[in-house]
Structures are given as C-alpha cells and as structure tokens.
Amino acid sequence: MATYAKNPQVSDQAHQDLVATFVKFDRDHSGTIDLSEVAAALRSVGLSPSAEALRGMIQAADLDHSGTIAFNEFVAIYLQAQSTSHTSPRPRGHSGALSASAASEPAGKGPDETRVLITGAHGLHMFVEEEKVAFVNHINETLAGDPLLASKLPINPQNRDIFASVRDGLLLAKLINAAVPGTICDRALNTNIATLNTFQINENQNLVINSAKAIGCSVVNIGAADMVNGTEHLVLGLIWQIIKIRLLSGVTLANHPELCRLLGENEDISALLRLSPEQVLIRWVNYHLARAGSARRITNLVNDIRDSEAYTILLTQIGRGACTSAPLQQSDPTRRAEEMLREAAKIDCNKFVTATDVVQANPHLNLAFTANLFNKYPALDPPPATIIIPTLDDDENDSRESRAFRMWINSLNVDPYINNIYEDLADGVAILQMLDKVQPGIVHWPRVNRPAPNVFKKVENTNYAVLLGRQLRFSLVNVSGKDITDKNRKLILGFVWQIMRMHVLKIIRALRSDGRDVDEQFVINAANDRVRSRGVAPISNFRDPALRNSVYLFHLLATVAPNAVNWDLVATGSTDEECAANAKMCISVARKCDCCVFLLWEDIVELKPKMLMVMIATILAVAQRPT
C-alpha cells in the first residue's frame, strides 16, 4: 500500500526497475527500506558505491531523519550513485522489469505475496492482494447486520468492489466506530444513499478522514477525494490502520492487568508501559512458549513465525485443550501452516491469515492474527495482589488531555508512533520532531542523539528541546530536560500544550492578510464577529457557560458551512443529557466541515478551556481558507 512517484530525471523503464527493486527490499510493506538494505538494493541495479560515499548519499537523502529510506529518497541515492559511477547501471532483463502493460496487472506470485501494481496520476502504486481479501472479510464480519450498510454488505473479497463501497464514506465511518465506539455521531452523517450528492459525499469523507486522525491514524497525503475515487493503496492503507487500532486497543494494562505476568526478573510495570502493543504481543507469545517448556523464542511477527512452530505451541497453551501439536509433525512449511490453521479453527481463531500468508510472513496479517488470538484467549493468570497496576488514568481529566495531545502528535506523522505520551517522549526525539514540524528548520538534527541509548543521551535531547522551547518563548520556568526524561506528567503536558497552541495559532496567522500575531483574545473576538450576524450572544472566554450546550459552536460552524448543521437535531441544552448529545454531534459536524479536532464531548460540557480554544481556532482557520 505504497506510492512510487516518478522522478523526472529517471526514464520510464528505469522507474519501473527501481520500483520493482524497492518493492523487493520493502519486505514489511511499510513504504520504506532500512538503511542497511540500501547497498544491496543499489547492487541489484548494478551500482556499488564505496561505503564512505554511500554514507554521504544516505545522509543527504534522508531529509526527514527518519532512519529509513522512502522511495523518493532511494531514487535520489540512485541518481547520485549513478552520477559518480564510472560504469553504467546494469540493464535488467525482461523478467526483472515491469513492462508498461504489466503496470496495471497483478505483479505475479513470487517469493512474496501477490503485489498489485497500478498506474496512478502520480506514478505507480502497490497493494497486496491477500491483505485486501483479509480486510474485506474482516469488514464483512464486523459490520454484518448494520441496516445502513445493507446494500453494500457482504462485499466480494475476490474483486475490487471494496474500492467502490467506500465512496460515500458510510462504510468507513462505521468501521471507525467499530474500532473506537462513539467517535462519529451518526446524526452528523449524510445517510440517504439514494440521493447523496457530491457535496454531501465529500462532507462524509471529511468526517471520516478527520475522525481517523482523531483516533490515531496517520492520514498524511490522504484526502476525501482519494476515498471518493477509490484510490486503491490509500483506501487499503486507511482500512488497515483502522483495523489495527481496533485489534490492538485491548492490548493494554488498563484492559488486561494480568499482562504484568509478562514482566521479566528485575523489571517493574514501567517496562511494560514503554512497549508498543506489537512488542507486548511478542512478549505474550514468548511467555506461553516458555510455559510450554519450549526453548523457542520469537523477536518479531514476520520471519520468526513463518515455520508455524511458535503458533502451534501458542495454540496448545491458550486453546483450553482443544488444540494439539499435531501440525509439528509436518515437515513442509505450507502443510504445517494449513494444519496449524485447522487447530486455530477449533477455537474460532482462523482469521486474517492463510497458510501462504504465514509462510510468506506477511507482517500486517500475522500481526492481526496474533492480536485476535490475544483478544479472545489471553490465557494469563490474574495479577498477584502484591502488584499495584498504575494506569495513565489516575486523573481522568489529565487522561483525556493526554489522549488528545497524543492523537495530535501522531497526526503530525511523528516517528515512531506515540502509544504512551509520557514514556515515548522521554528520550526527546518525538518532542524535537514536533518542534521541527511546527517551526521547520529549528532543530539541528546532527546534534540529536537518535537513538538515545542511555539516560545521559536522552537528557541531552530533552535539554535541547527545552532550549528550543525557550527560543520560541514558551513558559518553561524551572523546567529541565531531566523533568521530561523522568516523565513528569504535568510538565510534559504543559510543554506539549504550548507546542500545540503555537501550531494552531500559526495556522490562523498564516491565513491573516496582515500576517500579525494572534492570541486567545483574537480567537474569541474573531469567533464573536462571525456569529454576531446570527443574533448569537458573544462569549467572554473559553470557560463561558454559553459554550456548554454547544449551540454557540453550532452557529459558528454554520458560518463555515450553512447546510452542515441539521438544526432539527440540535437540542436546547437545558439538561445534562441534551448538552452531551449536542457536544457529540458538534464534534462530528466540525470534522464534517474539515476541522481536525481532537477533543472529546466531555471537554465541551465540562468547559475545558484548552480544548475549546483549539476547537474554535480550528473552525476559524477552516473558515478563512480560500474557497
């Protein structure tokens, strides 16, 4: 599910060769290859720069300092290597290149999955056929019985109906709500399928894209038009992220305190909090391998599981006597995987993968298969009474704020993904990325320790982040980098809030004709000016009780998109229940108007000033966009 834009300096045939080479080395379908694989990829197209020269090329090409190489960066390295080479790149035979006619057909069954390459407006795109089939099957099962989708379901997984099925946004909206219930208020959707016009469809897709951001999806370079047009790799990329969020949402200490059983000797709970859900699942598999008396251990859900041994042993441990180790008698990997899946079927867990997906080690589908096993049969003993399970929700208000900040950070496409705002910001790298996104060029990346292998290097990074924050005139009195590395919650949230505030206000300032600075009072005045013509009383601050029932916010949204608000569904807000119902719909209407907001409905009814400031400022920013 990647895109391969053509560099104008590369011929059509060379572009197709480079795509084929890149796809070969992009084994996890992430759209990137590791730095260690660049040399081998260049050798496969006949280029062998020296190690010293290659280091310089990689440093020049890795502009985002991600530590991985995207396709456009790989092409830049290729061009530089070609220009400094004394020999021409080795021409590839017909079997190594993709012909123009083959670009829109399945790439064929090779050592990996069936990769479908499609010619698009911006180059070649790729998706994995087996993933499409698995995703469609999951959608059919998850959304079965929804009356709104009766005309769409079930979708045929063997053709490309899925790409037409997402056109009006309704199926994706329902999938998002299945992943994170209550994210989208159904009352904000345009649901009359028979009469939907282009504008209403676009509103639905805006709601989908912005809601996907709000639950943690990365939607960089994905827009409503991509979903309407059924752009294959982008549709499947978004669907996978939503499915992944749904499957991994339960892999937490909050949902499963018994995960403390996975702790090793001399480890405390913080060791688990530092792990991503994928890493927790790997520990979970190894825990059951150890309990079974097996010496086998895995370090990933790709190559380490392709022989089905770990899966088979895991099933015998969690299957409550229903599953056996009979598959291990098979020497052929595919036959063993087939037998393993028959054992999984005994506990209704033969989902997502086929035997081929296991043997070929498809990373997405094997992660989904493992997460499904955990969600149904964690098979862990309750935590000992002596262990206290700390949570991120000691203060509910703090938890909501940290969630909103975490989703906002992830919307910036920070790498790696932020699962725990306190643990994942402790090395300073993510904070520095945030600062560089909000104020491009402010970070001198050669100064950054990436990775930061010990606490001293982490503190160097966080001290640098604090220094830059002070340059931006943030209020960081008595704040040091060590406070961040020590995971001081109050100070971390305060720092992140100031970055988020600057980001929002910069957007508004960029849209002002005079380019002058803006602050909270400017936001209040601008909002009051817009609703005045509608006979709405002004607000005095972001704690104004008039905001509690959302009616002021609905009027502000109506100045952006008059038809977006269905006033028949807006309550007066005279009761707590009505205020809650209004707030839920208001957030979805804002997203339908293409406002990317991260607050929860409780933040409105409880008059949380930070979240309300961001929401109102975001509405104003959308209102000021050129038509």
Side-chain angles (χ1 to χ4, degrees):
M1 293 173 288
T3 183
Y4 307 103
K6 183 180 178 300
N7 187 306
Q9 299 179 56
V10 174
S11 68
D12 290 344
Q13 186 61 61
H15 174 65
Q16 292 176 8
D17 285 346
L18 290 170
V19 169
T21 299
F22 191 84
V23 166
K24 174 183 176 183
F25 284 90
D26 180 18
R27 296 181 177 88
D28 62 355
H29 321 317
S30 65
T32 62
I33 61 176
D34 293 338
L35 297 182
S36 60
E37 297 174 317
V38 175
L42 288 176
R43 283 195 298 271
S44 71
V45 292
L47 294 171
S48 300
S50 67
E52 182 179 356
L54 182 58
R55 279 195 296 271
M57 295 174 192
I58 290 174
Q59 185 175 4
D62 187 19
L63 298 178
D64 60 359
H65 309 283
S66 63
T68 57
I69 296 298
F71 179 71
N72 65 311
E73 296 170 333
F74 175 63
V75 174
I77 294 171
Y78 163 83
L79 289 171
Q80 188 174 358
Q82 186 182 33
S83 68
T84 58
S85 174
H86 297 293
T87 60
S88 299
R90 183 181 72 249
R92 299 188 63 171
H94 177 73
S95 62
L98 290 169
S99 68
S101 60
S104 61
E105 297 298 328
K109 198 87 167 181
D112 297 308
E113 302 90 343
T114 306
R115 302 188 180 195
V116 182
L117 291 176
I118 297 171
T119 302
H122 303 288
L124 294 178
H125 312 301
M126 180 273 291
F127 69 85
V128 178
E129 175 69 17
E130 289 82 356
E131 292 182 355
K132 183 209 70 178
V133 171
F135 298 166
V136 171
N137 286 333
H138 178 76
I139 289 170
N140 286 337
E141 180 178 343
T142 301
L143 302 181
D146 190 309
L148 188 61
L149 304 178
S151 62
K152 300 177 183 290
L153 300 177
I155 302 167
N156 185 344
Q158 302 304 325
N159 60 25
R160 298 188 181 182
D161 284 355
I162 180 62
F163 304 116
S165 298
V166 303
R167 180 177 180 272
D168 59 22
L170 297 176
L171 185 142
L172 291 173
K174 294 292 186 175
L175 189 63
I176 286 173
N177 274 350
V180 182
T183 299
I184 293 177
C185 178
D186 287 347
R187 293 175 297 152
L189 285 165
N190 301 309
T191 58
N192 194 338
I193 296 176
T195 62
L196 286 179
N197 58 40
T198 301
F199 180 77
Q200 292 171 322
I201 290 173
N202 197 62
E203 283 188 332
N204 282 350
Q205 294 291 7
N206 282 339
L207 176 51
V208 164
I209 297 296
N210 288 302
S211 297
K213 285 184 185 178
I215 65 171
C217 295
S218 173
V219 295
V220 177
N221 298 323
I222 300 178
D226 298 311
M227 299 299 105
V228 173
N229 296 330
T231 306
E232 290 90 345
H233 67 293
L234 297 180
V235 168
L236 291 180
L238 181 58
I239 287 174
W240 162 241
Q241 290 188 78
I242 298 169
I243 291 174
K244 180 181 176 182
I245 286 170
R246 180 173 190 243
L247 291 172
L248 298 183
S249 63
V251 188
T252 65
L253 274 168
N255 289 288
H256 289 282
E258 65 271 23
L259 282 171
C260 69
R261 294 288 182 181
L262 307 185
L263 290 170
E265 291 185 16
N266 302 318
E267 284 188 328
D268 57 24
I269 291 296
S270 66
L272 281 179
L273 293 175
R274 287 193 293 268
L275 299 179
S276 68
E278 294 92 329
Q279 292 169 323
V280 172
L281 288 175
I282 290 170
R283 278 209 182 196
W284 174 70
V285 174
N286 286 333
Y287 172 84
H288 283 296
L289 292 177
R291 290 195 71 177
S294 171
R296 181 71 181 270
R297 298 294 183 270
I298 66 171
T299 60
N300 57 67
L301 295 172
V302 189
N303 291 324
D304 286 0
I305 49 78
R306 66 193 315 162
D307 64 1
S308 296
E309 180 182 345
Y311 278 155
T312 299
I313 298 171
L314 174 64
L315 287 168
T316 63
Q317 288 297 110
I318 69 175
R320 301 176 181 176
C323 302
T324 72
S325 59
L328 298 180
Q329 304 303 313
Q330 296 288 344
S331 58
D332 178 72
T334 302
R335 291 290 300 276
R336 180 185 289 182
E338 290 171 347
E339 291 292 329
M340 180 274 295
L341 289 174
R342 290 192 185 98
E343 296 297 319
K346 295 177 181 178
I347 56 175
D348 194 30
C349 284
N350 56 332
K351 311 290 185 184
F352 293 105
V353 295
T354 64
T356 301
D357 298 324
V358 174
V359 173
Q360 293 179 348
N362 181 291
H364 292 164
L365 300 184
N366 280 285
L367 172 61
F369 177 70
T370 307
N372 186 55
L373 289 175
F374 174 84
N375 289 332
K376 289 194 172 184
Y377 301 100
L380 296 170
D381 294 332
T386 55
I387 293 184
I388 299 175
I389 307 295
T391 72
L392 298 181
D393 302 332
D394 295 334
D395 183 320
E396 184 180 355
N397 294 329
D398 173 85
S399 172
R400 289 209 307 269
E401 188 172 71
S402 67
R403 177 195 178 278
F405 291 167
R406 179 166 56 88
M407 298 308 176
W408 171 73
I409 295 168
N410 286 325
S411 77
L412 299 178
N413 205 29
V414 165
D415 180 40
Y417 187 89
I418 304 301
N419 292 292
N420 180 316
I421 194 169
Y422 307 111
E423 297 289 340
D424 296 344
L425 269 57
D427 66 359
V429 174
I431 296 179
L432 289 166
Q433 289 183 71
M434 292 155 54
L435 290 167
D436 207 41
K437 299 276 187 181
V438 174
Q439 186 75 12
I442 193 172
V443 177
H444 182 58
W445 285 103
R447 177 174 174 175
V448 179
N449 302 304
R450 186 172 183 178
N454 55 53
V455 68
F456 304 106
K457 296 297 183 182
K458 291 177 181 178
V459 171
E460 284 183 3
N461 285 349
T462 51
N463 277 336
Y464 184 34
V466 171
L467 174 65
L468 295 179
R470 291 189 174 124
Q471 289 179 18
L472 294 171
R473 295 184 166 183
F474 292 170
S475 176
L476 296 170
V477 178
N478 297 325
V479 177
S480 69
K482 189 173 184 299
D483 294 317
I484 298 172
T485 302
D486 288 344
K487 302 158 198 149
N488 184 306
R489 295 185 178 190
K490 181 178 179 180
L491 297 181
I492 288 174
L493 293 180
F495 196 173
V496 174
W497 159 244
Q498 293 182 81
I499 303 174
M500 185 181 191
R501 174 185 178 275
M502 178 180 176
H503 182 235
V504 174
L505 295 181
K506 277 190 71 174
I507 293 172
I508 298 178
R509 184 177 64 183
L511 295 172
R512 286 192 64 175
S513 58
D514 58 11
R516 294 172 59 186
D517 285 341
V518 297
D519 57 15
E520 281 82 351
Q521 192 58 51
F522 173 88
V523 173
I524 291 170
N525 293 341
N528 286 337
D529 288 344
R530 292 193 68 88
V531 301
R532 185 175 293 113
S533 62
R534 301 179 63 86
V536 178
I539 58 171
S540 57
N541 54 57
F542 296 114
R543 290 188 175 90
D544 195 306
L547 293 169
R548 187 172 182 272
N549 62 12
S550 299
V551 173
Y552 179 97
L553 298 173
F554 279 121
H555 279 288
L556 184 59
L557 287 164
T559 70
V560 178
N563 296 322
V565 180
N566 184 345
W567 291 101
D568 292 336
L569 301 178
V570 177
T572 60
S574 57
T575 66
D576 290 345
E577 291 75 16
E578 288 184 350
C579 287
N582 278 358
K584 292 173 184 177
M585 185 169 72
C586 186
I587 292 171
S588 287
V589 171
R591 291 172 180 157
K592 186 165 72 170
C593 294
D594 206 19
C595 300
C596 184
V597 293
F598 298 92
L599 77 172
L600 298 176
W601 67 267
E602 294 95 337
D603 297 320
I604 296 178
V605 299
E606 294 175 13
L607 298 175
K608 298 302 178 183
K610 292 177 182 177
M611 295 296 102
L612 282 166
M613 190 283 281
V614 172
M615 181 175 188
I616 292 174
T618 303
I619 296 171
L620 292 175
V622 171
Q624 295 181 53
R625 288 178 188 167
T627 303

